Amino acid sequence: MNCPCCSGKLYDKCCKPFHTKEKFPETAEELMRSRFSAFAIPNGEYLMDTTLPSKRKLHNTKDLQDWGELNEWTKLEIVKTSGKNLVEFKAHYKDEHGTPQIHHEISLFEKLNNRWYYVSGKFLD
């Protein structure tokens, strides 16, 4: 199957190795793509595991899993990356009513102990 992150690669060669912890994303953009795929699959555990440990208290695995399941994730558009740790993206999806939506965000990532983590996001539009 094609990877949900819209990289043009097969899932097995793109985000799956991250989801199964065979390897870890080497850039903030790779982590962003793998997190989008984790919403599309869905894989709430991966989303929690890739959230900065000090920020996990603001989230929970069930809510992340539920949001992934509730929506149909159709396309990821990387608008731009800034520096090594900022990624602006548009996540296209259909909500529970089938209405097309766009989640536009600038996400902040941090590298800790040689692994990238999601820190926070600023919603746009």
Side-chain angles (χ1 to χ4, degrees):
M1 98 178 189
N2 288 331
C3 194
C5 81
C6 300
S7 65
K9 300 175 186 174
L10 293 175
Y11 174 67
D12 287 349
K13 303 283 185 200
C14 192
C15 291
K16 184 178 181 180
F18 302 138
H19 294 168
T20 58
K21 300 180 184 176
E22 292 173 46
K23 65 180 192 173
F24 299 103
E26 295 181 15
T27 66
E29 183 178 330
E30 277 189 343
L31 179 60
M32 175 61 243
R33 289 181 175 281
S34 70
R35 287 176 58 87
F36 177 86
S37 291
F39 277 112
I41 298 284
N43 183 341
E45 184 178 317
Y46 179 79
L47 293 163
M48 186 59 91
D49 286 347
T50 57
T51 299
L52 190 70
S54 64
K55 299 288 185 174
R56 289 181 188 162
K57 63 185 175 281
L58 304 174
H59 307 276
N60 73 64
T61 303
K62 183 182 181 320
D63 287 347
L64 293 168
Q65 181 76 23
D66 288 349
W67 203 50
E69 290 176 4
L70 188 63
N71 301 297
E72 179 187 345
W73 301 89
T74 57
K75 177 182 168 187
L76 176 64
E77 178 185 348
I78 301 295
V79 177
K80 70 178 178 179
T81 58
S82 302
K84 293 182 181 180
N85 65 341
L86 290 173
V87 179
E88 180 180 353
F89 69 92
K90 293 181 180 180
H92 298 253
Y93 65 97
K94 292 180 184 174
D95 66 19
E96 68 271 21
H97 305 292
T99 306
Q101 304 287 338
I102 298 175
H103 177 88
H104 189 183
E105 180 178 318
I106 296 176
S107 290
L108 174 64
F109 297 89
E110 183 177 321
K111 198 167 191 178
L112 178 67
N113 298 324
N114 230 13
R115 282 187 55 196
W116 282 101
Y117 293 93
Y118 171 78
V119 177
S120 63
K122 178 182 176 188
F123 304 129
L124 304 172
D125 295 341

